[in-house]
Structure formats: C-alpha cells, structure tokens
Amino acid sequence: ALHALPLLGNTELVTGYRRQIESATANDDPINNSPVGKKTTSADAWEVGLNYKFSSNEKLYLKYNQAFRFPNIDEFWGWDPLTYKRTFNGILKPQTTQAYEIGGNWVSNIVSINGSIFSSITQNEIRYDMDSGLNINSEFNINRRGLALDGSSSITNKLTISGGGKFQKSVYANGPYAGNSVALAPDLLLNARANYSMNQNWSLGGIVNYVSNQHYDSGLSDYSSLNVMPSYTVADAYLNYAFNGFEAKFTIKNIGNSLYGTTGGYAWITNANGGMSPNYFYYPSDRRSYFVSAKYNF
C-alpha cells in the first residue's frame, strides 16, 4: 500500500507499507528428501516521509523507513572447520533495518546533483561467521551513518561527465564490540564517469571506481590487531552502437589490469607445506577482461 497526500503548498506526505511471509523447508538429503529444517518467517517494510517540491524535478525530502532482507537459500548452510563438510545452520531470520534520511536533488541547465545524509540501525543482519564457519543472524545491532552525493553535467551536447561518492561508518552498535568497525565495509566509495556521443549511433565512455581500505573478515575479537585490506582503484571502458531497435556493447573491465580483492579474511588456512596456521587470505577479482553483448528491442 502506498499513498501520497498533498499538504500545504508544494509539500506532500508519503506513506507506504508492505508485509512478506515466507515458508522455507530445507533438505540436506536430496535423494530421500529428508527435511532438516522448516520454518515460516515474516517481515514488514514501511515508510513515512515529507517531500517539498521546488519544481517538477527538484525536491527536498525527509523520511523514516524500515526495510528487510530474507536470507538466500544457500545461506542456510555453512561448513564445519574440523570435518570440512557442509553443515546446516538453520533457517535464518530476515534482517531488518530502520533508517532516517534527509536529501534532495537540484537541477540546472547543465548540472544535476543528488545528495543525502542517512543513519540506520540493523537487527539480525545476515553475516558469515568466521569463528563457526556458519552463516548467522548477528546477535549485535549494526549502525551505519554517512552521506552520499552524485552529480552529472553536460559539458557539450556530446560529452557528459558524472561523479559521486559515499562516506559511511559501519560499526557494531551494542555488545562487547560496540564501536568496532564491521568487516568488509569500506568507509569511502568514489566514482567518476564520462560518456561521449560520436554520432547518433556510436558512443564511448568509461568509469573509474575507488574503494578505500576495509577490515578483513575475522572473529570479532581479532579486529583491533589485524591489518586492513588495501584500497584499490579500477577503471572500465565501453563502446556502444545503437541503430533502431538494435544495441551492441563492447566493454573492457579492469582496463588497467589491476590486482585487487573485494573480500578476504583472517583464519586458519592450509599453507603450501600442508600445515595449517592463522593467516590472511583474499579472493582475487578478475584481471583485465572483455565482454560483448547485443540485444534487439521489438
């Protein structure tokens, strides 16, 4: 249910509500269809906010809302670090987040800017637990505060440049690790984009992304003594062709052939000599790669 109620002047009250109920049955033995878990869970999403419109495409807004995420099916399983076998860890609860946000957008003849300031608190966040090897609902709440800004400008009738970023602090809000940063949550994300239309059929462009350093995933007690994953910068480039309903795109990802990882951890791992010891690990992202795609709109 959604409703927008006009108030005085250019102000409107926006409200909405959604409820989802999900029944899940997990089977660990596909041959005999032996159930290992069955559960019905539910979650609510809602929003209340005020919009003040300067024009048809410019406004300020203030909102308070709740959102949720149900677990993916594969998140019902983890692995036993002693037997190295798949382990059922139960049907997880949906995670819920309440958030305050204030923001707006401003448009002129050549510039469009969007920005917001936000603060949120999440309960039962679905996370992988390095200590147990299982996906779990975090017993501690997680708080995120930050600001986001994005803008674009048409430098000429053929060239458009854009850029944006988000600064966010993600910390545990309660429990013995209150104030500690959350793993795999960088504080700063930046991007710069450009698109050039050579003619009505051909265009080319690129994007550069920067991700600041972040904590390796690990047991909570290890955070303060561990190194952090290094920051990285990655650039992509693309060439588009469009004619009537046909579109084709050639993309070069990671054009600088950077070596980087978006996720990693600190745990007991197998060394080259076959022994085990606690150490850092990460999953490398793709080096330079090429993609071709095409579609036709009837």
Side-chain angles (χ1 to χ4, degrees):
L2 295 170
H3 182 63
L5 176 65
L7 301 177
L8 296 175
N10 296 326
T11 305
E12 65 178 3
L13 173 68
V14 179
T15 58
Y17 176 80
R18 178 168 67 95
R19 180 172 177 81
Q20 180 172 327
I21 302 173
E22 182 173 288
S23 296
T25 301
N27 301 282
D28 204 32
D29 184 352
I31 297 177
N32 299 312
N33 197 33
S34 175
V36 293
K38 187 173 183 178
K39 191 175 184 179
T40 298
T41 55
S42 63
D44 301 306
W46 44 261
E47 177 175 311
V48 57
L50 289 172
N51 293 336
Y52 180 79
K53 295 184 178 181
F54 296 99
S55 65
S56 59
N57 54 4
E58 293 178 299
K59 70 176 181 180
L60 286 175
Y61 66 85
L62 173 66
K63 65 181 180 180
Y64 177 49
N65 63 12
Q66 175 170 291
F68 61 80
R69 179 175 88 82
F70 277 81
N72 299 317
I73 291 176
D74 64 294
E75 290 175 319
F76 297 158
W77 282 268
W79 70 285
D80 189 325
L82 298 178
T83 64
Y84 296 99
K85 292 183 178 180
R86 180 182 61 185
T87 302
F88 179 69
N89 54 270
I91 296 176
L92 303 179
K93 302 175 184 177
Q95 69 179 45
T96 56
T97 300
Q98 299 81 42
Y100 297 91
E101 184 176 345
I102 182 172
N105 59 287
W106 177 72
V107 180
S108 71
N109 292 334
I110 60 172
V111 177
S112 174
I113 298 175
N114 303 280
S116 65
I117 300 172
F118 58 88
S119 176
S120 69
I121 187 79
T122 301
Q123 301 87 27
N124 296 315
E125 179 155 317
I126 301 168
R127 299 186 64 84
Y128 178 72
D129 179 35
M130 293 289 294
D131 289 334
S132 66
L134 304 177
N135 296 295
I136 63 169
N137 289 114
S138 174
E139 61 179 311
F140 309 122
N141 296 341
I142 294 177
N143 179 249
R144 295 174 173 87
R145 293 190 178 97
L147 57 90
L149 187 66
D150 191 87
S152 63
S153 176
S154 298
I155 303 301
T156 69
N157 60 347
K158 292 187 175 183
L159 176 62
T160 300
I161 61 171
S162 308
K166 180 169 70 173
F167 177 76
Q168 174 179 278
K169 295 294 292 185
S170 305
V171 299
Y172 287 96
N174 61 343
Y177 307 105
N180 284 17
S181 296
V182 176
L184 303 179
D187 290 344
L188 182 63
L189 305 172
L190 298 173
N191 70 81
R193 313 179 298 274
N195 185 81
Y196 181 76
S197 298
M198 294 178 283
N199 53 43
Q200 63 180 5
N201 302 116
W202 291 92
S203 64
L204 57 86
I207 179 171
V208 179
N209 288 300
Y210 168 80
V211 179
S212 68
N213 55 29
Q214 55 192 308
H215 286 278
Y216 285 96
D217 202 0
S218 178
L220 286 173
S221 59
D222 294 330
Y223 275 17
S224 60
S225 61
L226 295 181
N227 298 329
V228 294
M229 293 180 63
S231 62
Y232 60 88
T233 302
V234 182
D236 304 333
Y238 60 84
L239 176 67
N240 281 333
Y241 175 78
F243 180 74
N244 292 335
F246 177 77
E247 296 180 36
K249 187 174 186 178
F250 172 64
T251 304
I252 305 176
K253 304 282 289 185
N254 191 5
I255 194 171
N257 204 29
S258 300
L259 178 62
Y260 68 101
T262 60
T263 184
Y266 183 84
W268 284 84
I269 63 173
T270 303
N271 300 318
N273 60 8
M276 295 190 68
S277 64
N279 208 337
Y280 298 95
F281 67 90
Y282 75 99
Y283 299 97
S285 296
D286 291 339
R287 303 298 293 268
R288 185 186 298 117
S289 51
Y290 308 88
F291 300 87
V292 177
S293 63
K295 68 177 182 179
Y296 183 81
N297 299 314
F298 295 94

mmCIF file of all heavy atoms in Angstrom, residues 253-271:
data_model
loop_
_atom_site.group_PDB
_atom_site.id
_atom_site.type_symbol
_atom_site.label_atom_id
_atom_site.label_comp_id
_atom_site.label_asym_id
_atom_site.label_seq_id
_atom_site.Cartn_x
_atom_site.Cartn_y
_atom_site.Cartn_z
ATOM 1 N N LYS A 253 36.692 -4.516 -18.889
ATOM 2 C CA LYS A 253 36.661 -4.382 -17.438
ATOM 3 C C LYS A 253 38.084 -4.412 -16.892
ATOM 4 O O LYS A 253 38.939 -5.139 -17.393
ATOM 5 C CB LYS A 253 35.855 -5.534 -16.825
ATOM 6 C CG LYS A 253 34.430 -5.656 -17.355
ATOM 7 C CD LYS A 253 33.501 -4.641 -16.741
ATOM 8 C CE LYS A 253 33.215 -4.935 -15.304
ATOM 9 N NZ LYS A 253 32.199 -3.992 -14.729
ATOM 10 N N ASN A 254 38.331 -3.583 -15.890
ATOM 11 C CA ASN A 254 39.654 -3.505 -15.266
ATOM 12 C C ASN A 254 40.718 -3.236 -16.333
ATOM 13 O O ASN A 254 41.666 -3.993 -16.511
ATOM 14 C CB ASN A 254 39.974 -4.796 -14.506
ATOM 15 C CG ASN A 254 41.207 -4.687 -13.631
ATOM 16 O OD1 ASN A 254 41.796 -3.608 -13.494
ATOM 17 N ND2 ASN A 254 41.624 -5.804 -13.064
ATOM 18 N N ILE A 255 40.535 -2.139 -17.028
ATOM 19 C CA ILE A 255 41.383 -1.832 -18.181
ATOM 20 C C ILE A 255 42.848 -1.669 -17.779
ATOM 21 O O ILE A 255 43.763 -1.928 -18.581
ATOM 22 C CB ILE A 255 40.856 -0.559 -18.896
ATOM 23 C CG1 ILE A 255 41.499 -0.410 -20.264
ATOM 24 C CG2 ILE A 255 41.047 0.680 -18.047
ATOM 25 C CD1 ILE A 255 40.873 0.677 -21.106
ATOM 26 N N GLY A 256 43.115 -1.293 -16.544
ATOM 27 C CA GLY A 256 44.491 -1.164 -16.075
ATOM 28 C C GLY A 256 45.098 -2.457 -15.583
ATOM 29 O O GLY A 256 46.248 -2.470 -15.138
ATOM 30 N N ASN A 257 44.356 -3.558 -15.658
ATOM 31 C CA ASN A 257 44.819 -4.886 -15.238
ATOM 32 C C ASN A 257 45.274 -4.887 -13.771
ATOM 33 O O ASN A 257 46.273 -5.517 -13.408
ATOM 34 C CB ASN A 257 45.941 -5.374 -16.143
ATOM 35 C CG ASN A 257 46.069 -6.884 -16.157
ATOM 36 O OD1 ASN A 257 45.081 -7.592 -15.958
ATOM 37 N ND2 ASN A 257 47.270 -7.374 -16.370
ATOM 38 N N SER A 258 44.511 -4.192 -12.920
ATOM 39 C CA SER A 258 44.872 -4.095 -11.505
ATOM 40 C C SER A 258 44.657 -5.426 -10.799
ATOM 41 O O SER A 258 43.748 -6.187 -11.131
ATOM 42 C CB SER A 258 44.016 -3.019 -10.819
ATOM 43 O OG SER A 258 44.206 -1.754 -11.427
ATOM 44 N N LEU A 259 45.509 -5.704 -9.826
ATOM 45 C CA LEU A 259 45.362 -6.881 -8.977
ATOM 46 C C LEU A 259 44.776 -6.419 -7.650
ATOM 47 O O LEU A 259 45.390 -5.649 -6.925
ATOM 48 C CB LEU A 259 46.709 -7.561 -8.751
ATOM 49 C CG LEU A 259 46.702 -8.791 -7.836
ATOM 50 C CD1 LEU A 259 45.841 -9.892 -8.434
ATOM 51 C CD2 LEU A 259 48.119 -9.290 -7.590
ATOM 52 N N TYR A 260 43.564 -6.895 -7.337
ATOM 53 C CA TYR A 260 42.894 -6.434 -6.126
ATOM 54 C C TYR A 260 41.884 -7.487 -5.685
ATOM 55 O O TYR A 260 41.555 -8.423 -6.428
ATOM 56 C CB TYR A 260 42.181 -5.100 -6.369
ATOM 57 C CG TYR A 260 40.992 -5.197 -7.296
ATOM 58 C CD1 TYR A 260 39.689 -5.230 -6.798
ATOM 59 C CD2 TYR A 260 41.162 -5.255 -8.685
ATOM 60 C CE1 TYR A 260 38.607 -5.331 -7.642
ATOM 61 C CE2 TYR A 260 40.082 -5.347 -9.536
ATOM 62 C CZ TYR A 260 38.799 -5.380 -9.009
ATOM 63 O OH TYR A 260 37.717 -5.482 -9.855
ATOM 64 N N GLY A 261 41.383 -7.353 -4.479
ATOM 65 C CA GLY A 261 40.368 -8.245 -3.945
ATOM 66 C C GLY A 261 39.295 -7.446 -3.239
ATOM 67 O O GLY A 261 39.584 -6.471 -2.545
ATOM 68 N N THR A 262 38.049 -7.860 -3.424
ATOM 69 C CA THR A 262 36.932 -7.178 -2.774
ATOM 70 C C THR A 262 36.542 -7.843 -1.463
ATOM 71 O O THR A 262 35.788 -7.275 -0.684
ATOM 72 C CB THR A 262 35.707 -7.158 -3.690
ATOM 73 O OG1 THR A 262 35.325 -8.504 -3.998
ATOM 74 C CG2 THR A 262 36.021 -6.422 -4.993
ATOM 75 N N THR A 263 37.033 -9.054 -1.217
ATOM 76 C CA THR A 263 36.698 -9.744 0.022
ATOM 77 C C THR A 263 37.876 -10.600 0.458
ATOM 78 O O THR A 263 38.647 -11.097 -0.367
ATOM 79 C CB THR A 263 35.435 -10.616 -0.157
ATOM 80 O OG1 THR A 263 35.076 -11.200 1.098
ATOM 81 C CG2 THR A 263 35.672 -11.729 -1.159
ATOM 82 N N GLY A 264 38.022 -10.738 1.736
ATOM 83 C CA GLY A 264 39.117 -11.519 2.294
ATOM 84 C C GLY A 264 38.909 -11.710 3.779
ATOM 85 O O GLY A 264 37.974 -11.177 4.377
ATOM 86 N N GLY A 265 39.790 -12.495 4.405
ATOM 87 C CA GLY A 265 39.613 -12.773 5.811
ATOM 88 C C GLY A 265 40.897 -13.165 6.505
ATOM 89 O O GLY A 265 41.986 -13.163 5.913
ATOM 90 N N TYR A 266 40.760 -13.494 7.765
ATOM 91 C CA TYR A 266 41.875 -13.959 8.584
ATOM 92 C C TYR A 266 41.372 -15.177 9.346
ATOM 93 O O TYR A 266 40.422 -15.097 10.133
ATOM 94 C CB TYR A 266 42.315 -12.865 9.562
ATOM 95 C CG TYR A 266 43.519 -13.243 10.394
ATOM 96 C CD1 TYR A 266 44.808 -13.086 9.901
ATOM 97 C CD2 TYR A 266 43.364 -13.754 11.690
ATOM 98 C CE1 TYR A 266 45.917 -13.427 10.662
ATOM 99 C CE2 TYR A 266 44.462 -14.096 12.467
ATOM 100 C CZ TYR A 266 45.738 -13.927 11.944
ATOM 101 O OH TYR A 266 46.830 -14.265 12.704
ATOM 102 N N ALA A 267 42.003 -16.339 9.081
ATOM 103 C CA ALA A 267 41.533 -17.584 9.689
ATOM 104 C C ALA A 267 42.631 -18.637 9.591
ATOM 105 O O ALA A 267 43.711 -18.379 9.046
ATOM 106 C CB ALA A 267 40.268 -18.071 8.975
ATOM 107 N N TRP A 268 42.357 -19.812 10.121
ATOM 108 C CA TRP A 268 43.273 -20.945 9.965
ATOM 109 C C TRP A 268 43.182 -21.441 8.529
ATOM 110 O O TRP A 268 42.106 -21.821 8.063
ATOM 111 C CB TRP A 268 42.896 -22.062 10.929
ATOM 112 C CG TRP A 268 43.306 -21.767 12.338
ATOM 113 C CD1 TRP A 268 42.618 -21.037 13.257
ATOM 114 C CD2 TRP A 268 44.508 -22.201 12.971
ATOM 115 N NE1 TRP A 268 43.321 -20.967 14.435
ATOM 116 C CE2 TRP A 268 44.491 -21.690 14.293
ATOM 117 C CE3 TRP A 268 45.599 -22.985 12.564
ATOM 118 C CZ2 TRP A 268 45.508 -21.918 15.202
ATOM 119 C CZ3 TRP A 268 46.620 -23.217 13.477
ATOM 120 C CH2 TRP A 268 46.580 -22.692 14.769
ATOM 121 N N ILE A 269 44.305 -21.410 7.821
ATOM 122 C CA ILE A 269 44.320 -21.820 6.420
ATOM 123 C C ILE A 269 45.450 -22.831 6.194
ATOM 124 O O ILE A 269 46.378 -22.943 6.998
ATOM 125 C CB ILE A 269 44.500 -20.620 5.476
ATOM 126 C CG1 ILE A 269 45.864 -19.947 5.711
ATOM 127 C CG2 ILE A 269 43.382 -19.601 5.652
ATOM 128 C CD1 ILE A 269 46.174 -18.860 4.699
ATOM 129 N N THR A 270 45.334 -23.564 5.102
ATOM 130 C CA THR A 270 46.347 -24.553 4.743
ATOM 131 C C THR A 270 47.502 -23.866 4.027
ATOM 132 O O THR A 270 47.307 -23.180 3.021
ATOM 133 C CB THR A 270 45.745 -25.636 3.835
ATOM 134 O OG1 THR A 270 44.633 -26.240 4.516
ATOM 135 C CG2 THR A 270 46.774 -26.702 3.511
ATOM 136 N N ASN A 271 48.722 -24.055 4.527
ATOM 137 C CA ASN A 271 49.903 -23.467 3.924
ATOM 138 C C ASN A 271 50.411 -24.327 2.769
ATOM 139 O O ASN A 271 49.929 -25.437 2.529
ATOM 140 C CB ASN A 271 51.007 -23.308 4.965
ATOM 141 C CG ASN A 271 50.586 -22.413 6.115
ATOM 142 O OD1 ASN A 271 49.957 -21.381 5.906
ATOM 143 N ND2 ASN A 271 50.917 -22.818 7.344
#
